[in-house]
Amino acid sequence: MRPVMEVASDMGLDPEAVIPQGRFKAKVQLDAVRQGRPRGKLVLVTGMTPTRAGEGKTTTTVGLTQAMGHLGHQVIATLREPSLGPIFGIKGGGTGTGKATVEPQDEINIHFTGDAHAVGSAHNLLAALTDNAAQRGTVPGLTPEGVTWRRVTDVEDRALRTIVTGLGGPNNAPVRETGFDIVTASEVMAILALSAGLADLRERLSRTVVGLSGDGRPVTADDVGAVGSMMSLLRYAIQPNLVQTAEGQPVLIHTGPFGNIAHGCSSVVADRLALGYADYVITEAGFGADLGFEKFMHIKARSSSLEPSAVVLVATVRAVKMHGGVRLRDLDTPNEEAVERGMSNVDHLVRMVRSFGLPIVVAINRFPSDTPGEIAAVRARAEAAGARAAVESRVVVEGGEGGVDLAKAVVEAASGDAPKVSYMYPLEASIQDKVLALAQRV
Amino acid sequence: MRPVMEVASDMGLDPEAVIPQGRFKAKVQLDAVRQGRPRGKLVLVTGMTPTRAGEGKTTTTVGLTQAMGHLGHQVIATLREPSLGPIFGIKGGGTGTGKATVEPQDEINIHFTGDAHAVGSAHNLLAALTDNAAQRGTVPGLTPEGVTWRRVTDVEDRALRTIVTGLGGPNNAPVRETGFDIVTASEVMAILALSAGLADLRERLSRTVVGLSGDGRPVTADDVGAVGSMMSLLRYAIQPNLVQTAEGQPVLIHTGPFGNIAHGCSSVVADRLALGYADYVITEAGFGADLGFEKFMHIKARSSSLEPSAVVLVATVRAVKMHGGVRLRDLDTPNEEAVERGMSNVDHLVRMVRSFGLPIVVAINRFPSDTPGEIAAVRARAEAAGARAAVESRVVVEGGEGGVDLAKAVVEAASGDAPKVSYMYPLEASIQDKVLALAQRV
Amino acid sequence: MRPVMEVASDMGLDPEAVIPQGRFKAKVQLDAVRQGRPRGKLVLVTGMTPTRAGEGKTTTTVGLTQAMGHLGHQVIATLREPSLGPIFGIKGGGTGTGKATVEPQDEINIHFTGDAHAVGSAHNLLAALTDNAAQRGTVPGLTPEGVTWRRVTDVEDRALRTIVTGLGGPNNAPVRETGFDIVTASEVMAILALSAGLADLRERLSRTVVGLSGDGRPVTADDVGAVGSMMSLLRYAIQPNLVQTAEGQPVLIHTGPFGNIAHGCSSVVADRLALGYADYVITEAGFGADLGFEKFMHIKARSSSLEPSAVVLVATVRAVKMHGGVRLRDLDTPNEEAVERGMSNVDHLVRMVRSFGLPIVVAINRFPSDTPGEIAAVRARAEAAGARAAVESRVVVEGGEGGVDLAKAVVEAASGDAPKVSYMYPLEASIQDKVLALAQRV
Amino acid sequence: MRPVMEVASDMGLDPEAVIPQGRFKAKVQLDAVRQGRPRGKLVLVTGMTPTRAGEGKTTTTVGLTQAMGHLGHQVIATLREPSLGPIFGIKGGGTGTGKATVEPQDEINIHFTGDAHAVGSAHNLLAALTDNAAQRGTVPGLTPEGVTWRRVTDVEDRALRTIVTGLGGPNNAPVRETGFDIVTASEVMAILALSAGLADLRERLSRTVVGLSGDGRPVTADDVGAVGSMMSLLRYAIQPNLVQTAEGQPVLIHTGPFGNIAHGCSSVVADRLALGYADYVITEAGFGADLGFEKFMHIKARSSSLEPSAVVLVATVRAVKMHGGVRLRDLDTPNEEAVERGMSNVDHLVRMVRSFGLPIVVAINRFPSDTPGEIAAVRARAEAAGARAAVESRVVVEGGEGGVDLAKAVVEAASGDAPKVSYMYPLEASIQDKVLALAQRV
């Protein structure tokens, strides 16, 4: 690994803005974000509808970044923080595979730079202050029954999902039925991911609803007086974290929002920071393309002017075959018919991306068991559906070199003027119209 | 502030062993601990029995360190991590006052280097795995009723003190009455503070009791298979954290154990590290001298061979007057009679320290309202009780320069051969004999 | 009202077997039940599928009893105990209307002879003993998690539906998520209703399942040693309660089982007792005919040899119109078309009863707003569907005299040899076959 | 046993006022209570400070009643209802021993006439209505946190002592930490025991406090609209229950209040009823004389003008010896010294009763192991302390005949003018003065 200060320096960051966290991680101060028209182009990596066969979205994102570097482009990847599986010994889930990884893996997977802890503390401080306010009656109309804000934990703990708090007498009150969610599902995490800066973060936290008063009026974090303390707890968590690929390209890993309310992507500030220093910023959408791509476009891109210049859809022959009806244990057996059947999922996703007006490249993440016939079938169908190209990616085995073809196709797709994005519904549409539009197109 | 790498370098640390955490904090790897006979002498700072008047133990520790530096001694302070008051906006509680502070204060007070978060995650992971084991019956004889391990939180939250977990059906079970303590009271924090290294930490964690089986046999963290994951979470938390005084002397802040089971001091590894690089290591005992000094000697010093060469007892005229019966609002009024009455507390503590065979210096932490007569009365009585000296300390207003007299007295007291410590009871005494001995002497 | 001892004496009971409970209620000892072939014929009263318009099943049962007496027949009604609405001030729900009532209404509705209290005590004693056994480990394999037995209350109390018990430390344990049901839904009530006598009651109680051991084996009331105490609590509750109609005919009101597990009828012992002393015993099925008639036949009649000689289906023009789509507020408007549409419900029920091989009479419970045309339509359709007769009943306004036509039709229908009942499925059928058969026919 | 109607008739009750409950129990209507100056004299039976040796208070009360009958006096005993031990198989606890019993024992011990069930239903109905009101906000200022009213059960059930109610969502709310007490400790039971009639009962129920509003104002059963329904549930429970001794004298058993708030005696209406029909009414105070006698005098006698004409203090040689330091297993060994020591308890109680201005007779409840010397010692000391007489009672073995000497002594003590009672404190004394006075005298 290269020292993180060297990675920062090559990337063009003012060393004053880079705060080392160990030798290989650093926080980047928000004043390093460049204002005005971004220098770089955003490439969004998304995946097929997930199956148990896996598809390798993060791995392809990292490998494409390495390949771009190989071609001499100034490139930065922006990824979300992995969630907590690693604590129980599952390695590498969120940091790539084989020769396409982000480093230092074990530090990224456990604690990292403490952002998730900060989110948890801020979330739970708000819970404590809200319960206090409800118990003491300091917010007019707010009673314990009206509180909706739950707590979060960074450990998967089934016994905390539904609990009763406040037992042991009035000093410990209020007695309430409530529970803990996992910290990645915290609304504070979602807010952190979308905030443009400290002022925006404070504004969004202030509006966070923690309960309803007796007459149905929302009670906010501001009403219970929690915002100042939450800001103290989050002031460093809003700074993007700088690490590197296994081949030394800069990677910003920042925020890991999950759950229903979240878009599942890395942060807006990380993308903006990256776009000021690189020609290409490779980022990854959460979930599968049907859900995650749409959330990226409508929740993140639209509100933050972070529209992609090209989209990469990651597919594997194995996942295509699984969509074609093959069982997990039979995936190693060549089966072109199943590929043909399963490609309907890729077809659909390619068309959906194109309906936004965006160019799309299909990355075929190569597995040893794939046959040339199967690969060819995927490529043919993908291109027939409207993909600019469908290209094999061998980054797991070969690292950046194995992604050169893919990188070239992506550069080609992203060339020319920025695409004019066609959203599914106008921003001011009613909820009903939005849902209708989504149902028809996704 | 000086860059932390510079502080580390002046202190004599190999830069390879110093891991920066931002510009002004660093972790020090355990291989930097020097083996063999320590170079330095340990000075233990303790205080009067606490009153609401305060006495300034941390401030005196820091100011004495600065003063030692002023005199040209190689000196390091070792302090415990402040607990969580600061999150709610109370500044400086654990980092000194005026010109005698540890820096960077706000980063030390909020999150610091994440050690408390790591302790909380490890503690709560053990809770989750214990509940799982009890629910699934994987540890013979362990049922949910037998579990005694609670959970911890880093936010003061009354509603979590007593809770019922596991509601909502068998998937979320076990239903148990349990609760959360504050993370500083975690037994994992106490273990971290006493561990000599990673192997010792693993050994102590393995033995941690999480419940009783039906036949009364203790069930341990090892039995529920939690130790490996806990070690992953704690591997960096066991490294001492390096910061500095406002005048640039190195300070190691590490672990903050509180509660009944804990000794309330900074860690054994921090003291050992410091003693290898400095002539004088100034450390602070938790609580008041009656409780904290005794805990330091019997729990920490004895088991870790960290015996002090001298003891400093911090007193203030105000606290002495409060012990003499003066109310808080009347402390500014001169009252030598109350000083005489209140000095019985100082007398008692000086004699107790001397009964261990240790030289003691009384530091009179100067306040503007103190009169020369009051100061003189404290000094006379303290010396009559057996203190080597009783010296004014003006470090709050003057920084290290205001502590030069104190530093000289301490150097004088600590000179000569290491004192032969006389413990209150033999290590192998029964619990009853220990309690009896303590009651008679403390 | 006639003194209850006089009612008993007219009915032919040995005064030694009658235990007065106040002046107008009495318990009848079980040795008064006559063995051998019953003297009387059982007439089962059931109703249309319930609507908010009401249909008057209990009122018709009571009025028919009064009318039978008017005609000089020896007759006894057997009814279930009303449940607890009356406590909150709703009068007469379970004791008839107008001139067709059971007396003394207010004593029947509140406490009655204490049977429901006895059931509640027995049920809750079993709960306490089960929790004790689970906590102390006296039944091998039974842990608190395995307990399925809940508690009951005789007061509608939403806050007790889901509770956590056993808080406040190990003395009060076990901590469990459980709750209270209303006492009429107690399995002990259902058992009491079906028991043939004390020995049978003891046998059924012994088999009651209170939980599962760790290996899935059922744990019973016998296993936790509760049966003897439960029998002490229930020894008088198993004796039928004697009261009278407003016109003096004997009525046995005994047990009031409701809820999923129960058949919803009065007790087996009350029916048997009555059949030994009367020519006609008029009894009422719970719920509507679709559910309640079927439950009566398959759960009660079949296992207890209490097969009816005739069935009365209570209908009202208003309920028929409601089934025909008329809103509640429009029921007073004549609407023969709606009657035609709504009669599909009566048609269906008449055919179902006849598929059991039983003669059926439809009782049209007359309301002031009914028009002759509507009445005629109901009668025509009912007879076309296979009813022996469809007869107006005016018992609400006229008492027994208003039911004379109905009584005559019922006597006619019940004359001749006992019908040969054709059940829907053989007793030994599998659960699946039973469900299938029911779905096809009901 | 004599038919209860015969007992009632001999006692002089109008048969119209007697409502049979089975053959051997009856309720007596309140209009049978005679107004004006009572005919009879009240004799209060109390006991030594309780030990595990037992003293036989109820047995002596019953035996004295039988002996009074033997002497030809018109006599009635008034006792409280036994509490619920019998349900678990402990016989006879509250109904006497040997030949001095109240009959029918087993019916008295289980359910009796349902009064405790009625109290439980009324108590729990109030709980349900209070929770409803708190949840719906129908009583201004009453929130779930303000509710103090708990629930009751007639089964000893440790797991219900502390519970959380209202789980499972807002429909079941409010979520509260509360619990169940045993029904004898119900405040409704205490109210029933003290009420002079239906109007007084209604008035007392109305004032019952169920919680506090936010501003500290008490919220009552009247505020939550529960009083009407509670009256319906309690209308028969307020009628005294008539049974008989083993020798046929009438006994009124009515109400069984226990716990801190209760006086532990039978009801005011039972005493008043009895005093109108008998020359002597023998009643029993709850607890030991120190607590129970004082409660009888200050709570019951004073407020209800039910002042005793004489007091009987029940003592046994065994209990005296236990107060003298003898262990339970050594009580059969003669030990006059221990008797002398233990008599300090009897001395004290005799003096306390006399300080009220009341004549006192000590009844020595004879055991086979008592020696003449021990008996003599008790007698001498008791008379020296101021008892009118100390007389052997052999009612356990001989029935009424064995109590003739005692009865004669009681008649003698109760002869002459009614004693002028001297209370410990004026009715209008402050709480502090009352406590002070009690501490000095009891």
Side-chain angles (χ1 to χ4, degrees), chain C residues 16 20 22-23 132 158-159 166 171, chain D residues 16 20 22-23 132 158-159 166 171:
Chain C
E16 289 293 307
R23 287 195 226 295
N132 268 348
R158 295 173 305 126
N171 272 341
Chain D
E16 290 293 307
R23 287 194 225 295
N132 269 349
R158 295 172 305 126
N171 272 342

Side-chain angles (χ1 to χ4, degrees), chain B residues 220-439:
Chain B
T220 64
D222 193 39
D223 292 333
V224 302
V227 178
S229 299
M230 293 175 78
M231 286 299 294
S232 293
L233 288 164
L234 294 172
R235 62 187 161 164
Y236 299 123
I238 200 177
Q239 298 174 345
N241 304 294
L242 177 64
V243 288
Q244 60 189 293
T245 69
E247 299 180 5
Q249 287 79 18
V251 179
L252 294 170
I253 295 192
H254 194 218
T255 78
F258 264 100
N260 292 337
I261 55 158
H263 53 68
C265 315
S266 59
S267 75
V268 164
V269 292
D271 282 1
R272 289 216 177 132
L273 176 66
L275 284 168
Y277 291 84
D279 298 321
Y280 294 95
V281 173
I282 320 293
T283 195
E284 179 187 349
F287 316 107
D290 39 5
L291 181 60
F293 172 75
E294 187 275 316
K295 281 196 168 194
F296 180 92
M297 293 305 295
H298 284 110
I299 301 179
K300 184 171 166 184
R302 193 168 203 178
S303 68
S304 309
S305 307
L306 290 169
E307 295 177 346
S309 297
V311 173
V312 173
L313 177 75
V314 181
T316 65
V317 167
R318 291 164 66 86
V320 168
K321 277 151 83 175
M322 211 155 186
H323 277 287
V326 177
R327 283 169 303 186
L328 192 60
R329 62 180 181 219
D330 298 332
L331 288 179
D332 286 344
T333 312
N335 188 337
E336 288 181 34
E337 268 177 52
V339 169
E340 287 292 339
R341 279 194 308 273
M343 277 301 289
S344 62
N345 182 257
V346 173
D347 279 5
H348 168 69
L349 297 174
V350 166
R351 289 200 176 89
M352 185 187 67
V353 170
R354 280 178 45 78
S355 77
F356 278 78
L358 295 174
I360 178 168
V361 171
V362 173
I364 307 171
N365 182 18
R366 191 62 202 270
F367 272 70
S369 58
D370 303 347
T371 67
E374 290 173 328
I375 297 277
V378 170
R379 182 180 298 130
R381 283 286 297 273
E383 291 177 359
R388 289 284 182 96
V391 188
E392 272 186 67
S393 166
R394 293 173 305 277
V395 298
V396 174
V397 175
E398 301 175 20
E401 193 163 359
V404 163
D405 293 346
L406 174 63
K408 286 178 179 165
V410 169
V411 167
E412 161 69 24
S415 65
D417 290 341
K420 175 93 188 61
V421 175
S422 148
Y423 288 101
M424 291 187 182
Y425 46 76
L427 255 182
E428 66 280 9
S430 70
I431 293 282
Q432 285 85 343
D433 289 347
K434 286 179 181 175
V435 170
L436 194 64
L438 282 178

Side-chain angles (χ1 to χ4, degrees), chain A residues 140-171:
Chain A
L142 181 65
T143 64
E145 290 74 41
V147 174
T148 54
W149 192 252
R150 292 162 53 90
R151 287 173 179 78
V152 295
T153 170
D154 53 7
V155 170
E156 186 71 35
D157 191 340
R158 296 173 303 126
L160 293 179
R161 280 185 203 150
T162 307
I163 66 171
V164 172
T165 61
L167 303 176
N171 272 342

Side-chain angles (χ1 to χ4, degrees), chain A residues 204-228:
Chain A
R204 289 173 186 262
L205 290 176
S206 299
R207 291 194 312 255
T208 305
V209 174
V210 295
L212 294 175
S213 70
D215 56 0
R217 189 182 52 80
V219 176
T220 64
D222 194 40
D223 292 332
V224 301
V227 178

Side-chain angles (χ1 to χ4, degrees), chain C residues 294 298 424-426 429-442:
Chain C
E294 188 274 318
H298 284 113
M424 291 188 183
Y425 46 76
S430 69
I431 293 284
Q432 287 84 343
D433 288 348
K434 287 179 180 175
V435 169
L436 193 64
L438 283 177
Q440 289 169 341
R441 221 153 109 187
V442 179

Side-chain angles (χ1 to χ4, degrees), chain C residues 16 20 22-23 88 106 111 121 125 132 151 154 157-159 161-164 166-167 171-172 233 235, chain D residues 16 18 20 22-23 88 106 111 121 125 132 151 154 157-159 161-164 166-167 171-172 233 235:
Chain C
E16 289 293 307
R23 287 195 226 295
F88 293 93
D106 56 350
H111 300 316
S121 294
L125 176 62
N132 268 348
R151 287 171 177 80
D154 53 6
D157 191 339
R158 295 173 305 126
R161 280 184 203 152
T162 306
I163 67 172
V164 173
L167 303 176
N171 272 341
N172 295 350
L233 289 164
R235 62 188 163 164
Chain D
E16 290 293 307
V18 184
R23 287 194 225 295
F88 293 94
D106 57 350
H111 300 317
S121 294
L125 176 63
N132 269 349
R151 287 171 177 80
D154 54 7
D157 192 338
R158 295 172 305 126
R161 281 185 202 148
T162 306
I163 66 172
V164 172
L167 304 176
N171 272 342
N172 295 350
L233 289 165
R235 63 187 161 163

